[in-house]
Amino acid sequence: LSLKWLMALADKGGALPRRQELPEEAFVTAAQLRRIEAGARRGFDTREYSKLLQRMFADYTFSTELELMASLFRRKRNVD
């Protein structure tokens, strides 16, 4: 289901109907899912994470640890 559609339904105070009664715009298409998946894959840079881990184990500093944590939480959010 589309998160945008669900949020709009909640804003209107609506209740989630049976699947058979949902409108077409409530569903995410296969093309949209592929685009969301591609964005999610780009959202986490494993190479950069790996470099930071190596740096942290080689020469630990608080700054390096902060960089590592920031890289984990810097992911993109994909709202359909």
Side-chain angles (χ1 to χ4, degrees):
L1 287 178
S2 166
L3 181 58
K4 288 180 185 177
W5 184 85
L6 284 171
M7 291 173 65
L9 179 66
D11 288 344
K12 291 186 246 178
L16 188 62
R18 297 181 330 145
R19 186 191 190 290
Q20 297 87 338
E21 297 166 354
L22 291 172
E24 277 298 311
E25 62 268 10
F27 297 98
V28 178
T29 66
Q32 289 171 318
L33 283 175
R34 281 191 217 86
R35 195 174 66 245
I36 291 168
E37 179 187 19
R41 289 178 188 224
R42 285 191 309 267
F44 184 70
D45 188 353
T46 54
R47 288 185 201 146
E48 186 63 29
Y49 181 70
S50 171
K51 288 179 194 175
L52 280 171
L53 270 180
Q54 289 172 358
R55 235 174 81 203
M56 192 168 124
F57 288 121
D59 183 33
Y60 175 82
T61 64
F62 185 66
S63 171
T64 310
E65 187 174 350
L66 286 176
E67 283 182 58
L68 180 67
M69 288 191 297
S71 73
L72 288 172
F73 298 109
R74 200 178 307 153
R75 296 179 184 189
K76 295 178 185 173
R77 304 233 191 283
N78 294 302
V79 179
D80 46 85

